[in-house]
Amino acid sequence: MSYLHFPSLVFSGDFLSDVSTVNNQTYHYNNDTFIPSYQEFGKGATNGWWNPVGGAIFDFQNCTVKGLHYGDGSAYPFPDLNGLVGQFITGADGRATGKMVDLDPQQQGCSELWAIKLRITTKENELILEGDMDATGFRDLQYRQSGGGSVNGQPLGGTWTTVLNNVKWGGRAEASPFLKKLKAITQYNRLSLNLNAYGYYYNHAEDGRFSMGRILGAIGPWFVGEPSTFAGCRRLYGMVQNVAPNGQPIIYFSNSNFLFDQAARRLTFDFGSSFPIANSMGKIDLTAKLLVAVSRQAVNAGLAPNPVEIDPAEVTLIGEVEYVAGDDWLNDTCGIVSFDDLSAEIMDLLKDHQVVLLTTNNSGTYSLLARESINGYLLRADNFVQRLDAGQSNFVNFYAYQWGKPLANNTITIQLQPPTPVIPKGQGTQSEKNNPVDIPGNNYPADGISFAHAIRTDANGFAQLKITGNAIHNPRGYLDGQIYFLDYQLQNFGPDPAEGPYNNDNIFVHLRDFYEIPENPTWDDIAYTMIQYANLYPIMSKYLVDLSDPEAIIKKKDIVAFAFSQQINDPLYMPVTRDLSENKRLTILKWLENPIILPKKKLAKAKGAKEKELAASPAQLGKALTEKQMKLKNAVRAKQGEGISVAEFPDLFIF
């Protein structure tokens, strides 16, 4: 991804993520058993969780440009010939920037940013640059904080990568050598954007940062043929695994992107996604000497509780990561580190040898902290989060690389994960043990989606997978549709043993239930959906309209119709989760045109036909989750803050 190409700029500051948490809980979707306390604040996974009246807003706050990379070898602090450093990164003018939403309560591990506009302005609000972000889900969840987790409640960080479309250049673009160069190099008036988020506040702490976190950004040129939601370059995988008190792995320096630019004789790393920090604000208290090198021998070791020792004779050093301990370095540089003027020897080795991250030790050897994948392979699905209606087909794009170059004519295999078990009421994890109803499983019926089980990359390492949604009829009872998880890999190559547990290298599909639009819809046809929205988004009922009351909706039907008429990529689109099938949305709009309320007709309840259908689904009880499914489940729990000890972990650094 070109954000690692120069020219580029970096920025940092805060972000606001005012997500609603009532809809985090699966059984909250059951209208029959929903109770008012589910809309109240609760500690941990109780009641409505930590932000029940959230509006799903995502916004940039207190963000400023920190530095410019010109591509001429300039080092930090970067020279500012253009008056850009210190200018503001903001969202849309006059409205909230956009929305942050989960795919489904049963898949919260790929939270997406929708309908977001990014702007660079002066303090007088003069536009310098703006663009519209393509929707993108986060990837590469990983532990960031070695301490301070008890304050903010979430020691993990994640990464969003996307493309800025419809770029508008302000008047300064022609007067700025940096912006002129960026505009000339990028293609089709698009820019690449990477966002590394950390230090998010679940806790209602006294410092006033609730529902806020820190964000590091990098904007660079975009080139035709690149993926949109991940960096099509090379990657380091962290090796040193520590185990938290809850038994979940903590891997620092995991998932670091780097670009080998042969023409410029340069290596550029993004450690902004992985550098270990001591608190939620990005403080670094690490004192270890960090070295980047290229290994002369294959390094195949997997995750281990202790560092692998490397003989100095086995590597050729490239240089030292010159970070600075304290509060500023990560936020000022965003963790972007470059090594220029590479020697001919290193240039030759980098063509087909692994890059490694090392630290010194007392034995005269090096300790291995992170390494490139075995044989330099990288395969990822691009648009890996999919929403499908019955009869709809979407195409998922794949990109395969070896040593940063397209991997041509290679087969990719794809398979549906096995069905997951239904969780009986009163059982399950911390967030499930109070469930008053069964929690449905996923990945059934298997014929809900159709796809090829093998595809092949072209000369550019590119391949497409067509996924078609077939008609399903409410297999999850009180939850619309079904969630499907697809695994993929290069044929004859298994997952790298050093890959972290939360990479999101899957395809996640929400297939909506088959639904026919009634000729003359009545309130009973839409009531279950509208009551569910009223339950799950209390902010609507508190401040706009009670969506469970047809009379109240009729009084404000123009406003409701406006919200349901928006395109899915609009910030005002209703529902905020983007989970409503097209036919159900059109049915709601059709009812609003002629709102019919039949007298004395009761709404069919979940424990009726819907729960009977759930009970009749494949016999899942007693089946264990696969290792892959357990990793995904733990990733969701980690993202939610559940199952994570937020005690201080000063002993987790073993180098």
Side-chain angles (χ1 to χ4, degrees), residues 3-29:
Y3 81 90
L4 288 175
H5 282 283
F6 296 159
S8 67
L9 66 81
V10 294
F11 65 88
S12 67
D14 298 328
F15 72 93
L16 171 71
S17 180
D18 179 33
V19 293
S20 172
T21 55
V22 179
N23 62 5
N24 276 3
Q25 197 71 272
T26 302
Y27 59 78
H28 286 180
Y29 284 69

mmCIF file of all heavy atoms in Angstrom, residues 3-29:
data_model
loop_
_atom_site.group_PDB
_atom_site.id
_atom_site.type_symbol
_atom_site.label_atom_id
_atom_site.label_comp_id
_atom_site.label_asym_id
_atom_site.label_seq_id
_atom_site.Cartn_x
_atom_site.Cartn_y
_atom_site.Cartn_z
ATOM 1 N N TYR A 3 0.871 4.133 1.179
ATOM 2 C CA TYR A 3 1.129 5.074 2.266
ATOM 3 C C TYR A 3 2.573 4.983 2.734
ATOM 4 O O TYR A 3 3.076 5.896 3.385
ATOM 5 C CB TYR A 3 0.152 4.865 3.421
ATOM 6 C CG TYR A 3 0.472 3.731 4.372
ATOM 7 C CD1 TYR A 3 1.261 3.954 5.509
ATOM 8 C CD2 TYR A 3 -0.009 2.446 4.153
ATOM 9 C CE1 TYR A 3 1.554 2.923 6.387
ATOM 10 C CE2 TYR A 3 0.281 1.411 5.025
ATOM 11 C CZ TYR A 3 1.063 1.650 6.138
ATOM 12 O OH TYR A 3 1.367 0.630 7.020
ATOM 13 N N LEU A 4 3.268 3.902 2.383
ATOM 14 C CA LEU A 4 4.688 3.770 2.711
ATOM 15 C C LEU A 4 5.586 4.283 1.591
ATOM 16 O O LEU A 4 6.803 4.298 1.741
ATOM 17 C CB LEU A 4 5.020 2.312 3.029
ATOM 18 C CG LEU A 4 4.476 1.801 4.366
ATOM 19 C CD1 LEU A 4 4.756 0.316 4.532
ATOM 20 C CD2 LEU A 4 5.069 2.575 5.526
ATOM 21 N N HIS A 5 4.986 4.656 0.470
ATOM 22 C CA HIS A 5 5.746 5.340 -0.575
ATOM 23 C C HIS A 5 5.825 6.824 -0.236
ATOM 24 O O HIS A 5 4.959 7.377 0.434
ATOM 25 C CB HIS A 5 5.071 5.165 -1.938
ATOM 26 C CG HIS A 5 5.293 3.831 -2.570
ATOM 27 N ND1 HIS A 5 6.457 3.478 -3.194
ATOM 28 C CD2 HIS A 5 4.473 2.752 -2.668
ATOM 29 C CE1 HIS A 5 6.362 2.246 -3.659
ATOM 30 N NE2 HIS A 5 5.167 1.779 -3.353
ATOM 31 N N PHE A 6 6.860 7.468 -0.725
ATOM 32 C CA PHE A 6 7.005 8.907 -0.534
ATOM 33 C C PHE A 6 6.640 9.622 -1.831
ATOM 34 O O PHE A 6 6.788 9.049 -2.916
ATOM 35 C CB PHE A 6 8.448 9.239 -0.137
ATOM 36 C CG PHE A 6 8.867 8.646 1.180
ATOM 37 C CD1 PHE A 6 10.214 8.468 1.480
ATOM 38 C CD2 PHE A 6 7.939 8.240 2.124
ATOM 39 C CE1 PHE A 6 10.619 7.921 2.687
ATOM 40 C CE2 PHE A 6 8.328 7.697 3.331
ATOM 41 C CZ PHE A 6 9.667 7.535 3.612
ATOM 42 N N PRO A 7 6.141 10.863 -1.772
ATOM 43 C CA PRO A 7 5.970 11.692 -0.577
ATOM 44 C C PRO A 7 4.747 11.256 0.233
ATOM 45 O O PRO A 7 3.755 10.787 -0.312
ATOM 46 C CB PRO A 7 5.765 13.088 -1.151
ATOM 47 C CG PRO A 7 5.110 12.829 -2.478
ATOM 48 C CD PRO A 7 5.727 11.567 -2.998
ATOM 49 N N SER A 8 4.851 11.432 1.535
ATOM 50 C CA SER A 8 3.735 11.113 2.417
ATOM 51 C C SER A 8 3.790 12.047 3.618
ATOM 52 O O SER A 8 4.823 12.643 3.904
ATOM 53 C CB SER A 8 3.798 9.656 2.870
ATOM 54 O OG SER A 8 4.922 9.440 3.706
ATOM 55 N N LEU A 9 2.660 12.149 4.290
ATOM 56 C CA LEU A 9 2.628 12.928 5.527
ATOM 57 C C LEU A 9 2.072 12.061 6.642
ATOM 58 O O LEU A 9 1.323 11.112 6.401
ATOM 59 C CB LEU A 9 1.812 14.217 5.366
ATOM 60 C CG LEU A 9 0.299 14.155 5.111
ATOM 61 C CD1 LEU A 9 -0.489 13.943 6.391
ATOM 62 C CD2 LEU A 9 -0.156 15.447 4.441
ATOM 63 N N VAL A 10 2.444 12.389 7.863
ATOM 64 C CA VAL A 10 1.947 11.659 9.026
ATOM 65 C C VAL A 10 1.232 12.637 9.954
ATOM 66 O O VAL A 10 1.572 13.821 10.019
ATOM 67 C CB VAL A 10 3.082 10.934 9.781
ATOM 68 C CG1 VAL A 10 3.681 9.836 8.907
ATOM 69 C CG2 VAL A 10 4.170 11.892 10.239
ATOM 70 N N PHE A 11 0.229 12.112 10.657
ATOM 71 C CA PHE A 11 -0.510 12.933 11.613
ATOM 72 C C PHE A 11 -0.888 12.073 12.808
ATOM 73 O O PHE A 11 -0.887 10.839 12.752
ATOM 74 C CB PHE A 11 -1.758 13.546 10.968
ATOM 75 C CG PHE A 11 -2.805 12.550 10.532
ATOM 76 C CD1 PHE A 11 -3.793 12.110 11.402
ATOM 77 C CD2 PHE A 11 -2.814 12.062 9.225
ATOM 78 C CE1 PHE A 11 -4.767 11.203 10.996
ATOM 79 C CE2 PHE A 11 -3.778 11.150 8.815
ATOM 80 C CZ PHE A 11 -4.759 10.719 9.711
ATOM 81 N N SER A 12 -1.212 12.724 13.892
ATOM 82 C CA SER A 12 -1.652 12.000 15.082
ATOM 83 C C SER A 12 -2.565 12.890 15.909
ATOM 84 O O SER A 12 -2.617 14.103 15.726
ATOM 85 C CB SER A 12 -0.463 11.525 15.920
ATOM 86 O OG SER A 12 0.234 12.610 16.492
ATOM 87 N N GLY A 13 -3.263 12.259 16.824
ATOM 88 C CA GLY A 13 -4.174 12.971 17.711
ATOM 89 C C GLY A 13 -5.130 11.989 18.350
ATOM 90 O O GLY A 13 -4.774 10.847 18.642
ATOM 91 N N ASP A 14 -6.357 12.414 18.545
ATOM 92 C CA ASP A 14 -7.378 11.589 19.183
ATOM 93 C C ASP A 14 -8.446 11.197 18.172
ATOM 94 O O ASP A 14 -8.613 11.841 17.132
ATOM 95 C CB ASP A 14 -8.063 12.352 20.324
ATOM 96 C CG ASP A 14 -7.107 12.735 21.446
ATOM 97 O OD1 ASP A 14 -6.154 11.969 21.683
ATOM 98 O OD2 ASP A 14 -7.311 13.794 22.070
ATOM 99 N N PHE A 15 -9.165 10.145 18.507
ATOM 100 C CA PHE A 15 -10.382 9.828 17.770
ATOM 101 C C PHE A 15 -11.490 9.556 18.774
ATOM 102 O O PHE A 15 -11.248 9.114 19.895
ATOM 103 C CB PHE A 15 -10.186 8.634 16.828
ATOM 104 C CG PHE A 15 -10.077 7.294 17.514
ATOM 105 C CD1 PHE A 15 -11.190 6.487 17.706
ATOM 106 C CD2 PHE A 15 -8.845 6.824 17.957
ATOM 107 C CE1 PHE A 15 -11.087 5.250 18.332
ATOM 108 C CE2 PHE A 15 -8.729 5.583 18.575
ATOM 109 C CZ PHE A 15 -9.858 4.794 18.768
ATOM 110 N N LEU A 16 -12.709 9.846 18.348
ATOM 111 C CA LEU A 16 -13.904 9.557 19.132
ATOM 112 C C LEU A 16 -14.637 8.406 18.478
ATOM 113 O O LEU A 16 -14.873 8.423 17.266
ATOM 114 C CB LEU A 16 -14.819 10.782 19.189
ATOM 115 C CG LEU A 16 -16.213 10.559 19.793
ATOM 116 C CD1 LEU A 16 -16.098 10.329 21.299
ATOM 117 C CD2 LEU A 16 -17.127 11.746 19.499
ATOM 118 N N SER A 17 -14.976 7.407 19.257
ATOM 119 C CA SER A 17 -15.760 6.282 18.760
ATOM 120 C C SER A 17 -16.911 6.053 19.733
ATOM 121 O O SER A 17 -16.788 5.310 20.706
ATOM 122 C CB SER A 17 -14.899 5.025 18.635
ATOM 123 O OG SER A 17 -15.669 3.947 18.159
ATOM 124 N N ASP A 18 -18.019 6.732 19.447
ATOM 125 C CA ASP A 18 -19.175 6.729 20.337
ATOM 126 C C ASP A 18 -20.115 5.577 19.962
ATOM 127 O O ASP A 18 -21.273 5.779 19.623
ATOM 128 C CB ASP A 18 -19.887 8.075 20.216
ATOM 129 C CG ASP A 18 -21.124 8.163 21.082
ATOM 130 O OD1 ASP A 18 -21.130 7.566 22.162
ATOM 131 O OD2 ASP A 18 -22.093 8.821 20.647
ATOM 132 N N VAL A 19 -19.588 4.364 20.005
ATOM 133 C CA VAL A 19 -20.381 3.213 19.576
ATOM 134 C C VAL A 19 -21.465 2.887 20.596
ATOM 135 O O VAL A 19 -21.298 3.086 21.795
ATOM 136 C CB VAL A 19 -19.480 1.977 19.367
ATOM 137 C CG1 VAL A 19 -18.550 2.187 18.188
ATOM 138 C CG2 VAL A 19 -18.693 1.662 20.633
ATOM 139 N N SER A 20 -22.586 2.379 20.089
ATOM 140 C CA SER A 20 -23.625 1.862 20.971
ATOM 141 C C SER A 20 -23.233 0.459 21.413
ATOM 142 O O SER A 20 -22.720 -0.329 20.619
ATOM 143 C CB SER A 20 -24.963 1.809 20.247
ATOM 144 O OG SER A 20 -25.932 1.135 21.034
ATOM 145 N N THR A 21 -23.471 0.132 22.677
ATOM 146 C CA THR A 21 -23.063 -1.185 23.184
ATOM 147 C C THR A 21 -24.233 -2.077 23.569
ATOM 148 O O THR A 21 -24.026 -3.229 23.944
ATOM 149 C CB THR A 21 -22.132 -1.022 24.403
ATOM 150 O OG1 THR A 21 -22.775 -0.216 25.398
ATOM 151 C CG2 THR A 21 -20.824 -0.382 23.987
ATOM 152 N N VAL A 22 -25.455 -1.584 23.466
ATOM 153 C CA VAL A 22 -26.602 -2.459 23.720
ATOM 154 C C VAL A 22 -26.594 -3.601 22.706
ATOM 155 O O VAL A 22 -26.916 -4.746 23.019
ATOM 156 C CB VAL A 22 -27.928 -1.675 23.634
ATOM 157 C CG1 VAL A 22 -29.113 -2.596 23.871
ATOM 158 C CG2 VAL A 22 -27.944 -0.547 24.651
ATOM 159 N N ASN A 23 -26.205 -3.277 21.465
ATOM 160 C CA ASN A 23 -26.220 -4.299 20.412
ATOM 161 C C ASN A 23 -24.976 -5.177 20.411
ATOM 162 O O ASN A 23 -24.783 -5.968 19.492
ATOM 163 C CB ASN A 23 -26.422 -3.653 19.038
ATOM 164 C CG ASN A 23 -25.296 -2.704 18.650
ATOM 165 O OD1 ASN A 23 -24.299 -2.572 19.350
ATOM 166 N ND2 ASN A 23 -25.469 -2.030 17.541
ATOM 167 N N ASN A 24 -24.110 -5.050 21.419
ATOM 168 C CA ASN A 24 -22.989 -5.986 21.548
ATOM 169 C C ASN A 24 -23.455 -7.371 21.975
ATOM 170 O O ASN A 24 -22.796 -8.365 21.689
ATOM 171 C CB ASN A 24 -21.989 -5.480 22.600
ATOM 172 C CG ASN A 24 -21.012 -4.473 22.031
ATOM 173 O OD1 ASN A 24 -21.099 -4.100 20.872
ATOM 174 N ND2 ASN A 24 -20.084 -4.039 22.858
ATOM 175 N N GLN A 25 -24.562 -7.420 22.669
ATOM 176 C CA GLN A 25 -25.004 -8.667 23.284
ATOM 177 C C GLN A 25 -25.974 -9.389 22.354
ATOM 178 O O GLN A 25 -27.009 -8.831 21.957
ATOM 179 C CB GLN A 25 -25.700 -8.357 24.609
ATOM 180 C CG GLN A 25 -25.869 -9.516 25.549
ATOM 181 C CD GLN A 25 -24.547 -9.929 26.148
ATOM 182 O OE1 GLN A 25 -23.843 -10.730 25.570
ATOM 183 N NE2 GLN A 25 -24.209 -9.384 27.304
ATOM 184 N N THR A 26 -25.667 -10.621 22.019
ATOM 185 C CA THR A 26 -26.486 -11.361 21.063
ATOM 186 C C THR A 26 -27.928 -11.489 21.522
ATOM 187 O O THR A 26 -28.868 -11.221 20.763
ATOM 188 C CB THR A 26 -25.877 -12.755 20.831
ATOM 189 O OG1 THR A 26 -24.528 -12.610 20.367
ATOM 190 C CG2 THR A 26 -26.672 -13.530 19.801
ATOM 191 N N TYR A 27 -28.147 -11.875 22.779
ATOM 192 C CA TYR A 27 -29.517 -12.129 23.209
ATOM 193 C C TYR A 27 -30.345 -10.861 23.376
ATOM 194 O O TYR A 27 -31.564 -10.930 23.547
ATOM 195 C CB TYR A 27 -29.555 -12.975 24.485
ATOM 196 C CG TYR A 27 -28.860 -12.398 25.699
ATOM 197 C CD1 TYR A 27 -29.428 -11.397 26.473
ATOM 198 C CD2 TYR A 27 -27.625 -12.908 26.105
ATOM 199 C CE1 TYR A 27 -28.799 -10.894 27.595
ATOM 200 C CE2 TYR A 27 -26.975 -12.416 27.232
ATOM 201 C CZ TYR A 27 -27.575 -11.411 27.970
ATOM 202 O OH TYR A 27 -26.937 -10.917 29.088
ATOM 203 N N HIS A 28 -29.722 -9.698 23.290
ATOM 204 C CA HIS A 28 -30.494 -8.459 23.305
ATOM 205 C C HIS A 28 -31.362 -8.319 22.057
ATOM 206 O O HIS A 28 -32.282 -7.499 22.030
ATOM 207 C CB HIS A 28 -29.569 -7.250 23.411
ATOM 208 C CG HIS A 28 -28.969 -7.066 24.770
ATOM 209 N ND1 HIS A 28 -28.105 -6.037 25.060
ATOM 210 C CD2 HIS A 28 -29.101 -7.764 25.922
ATOM 211 C CE1 HIS A 28 -27.721 -6.123 26.325
ATOM 212 N NE2 HIS A 28 -28.319 -7.160 26.863
ATOM 213 N N TYR A 29 -31.068 -9.089 21.020
ATOM 214 C CA TYR A 29 -31.834 -9.032 19.781
ATOM 215 C C TYR A 29 -33.171 -9.766 19.893
ATOM 216 O O TYR A 29 -34.003 -9.651 18.998
ATOM 217 C CB TYR A 29 -31.020 -9.602 18.622
ATOM 218 C CG TYR A 29 -29.940 -8.672 18.126
ATOM 219 C CD1 TYR A 29 -28.817 -8.392 18.900
ATOM 220 C CD2 TYR A 29 -30.030 -8.049 16.889
ATOM 221 C CE1 TYR A 29 -27.822 -7.538 18.460
ATOM 222 C CE2 TYR A 29 -29.042 -7.185 16.435
ATOM 223 C CZ TYR A 29 -27.943 -6.933 17.222
ATOM 224 O OH TYR A 29 -26.967 -6.071 16.784
#
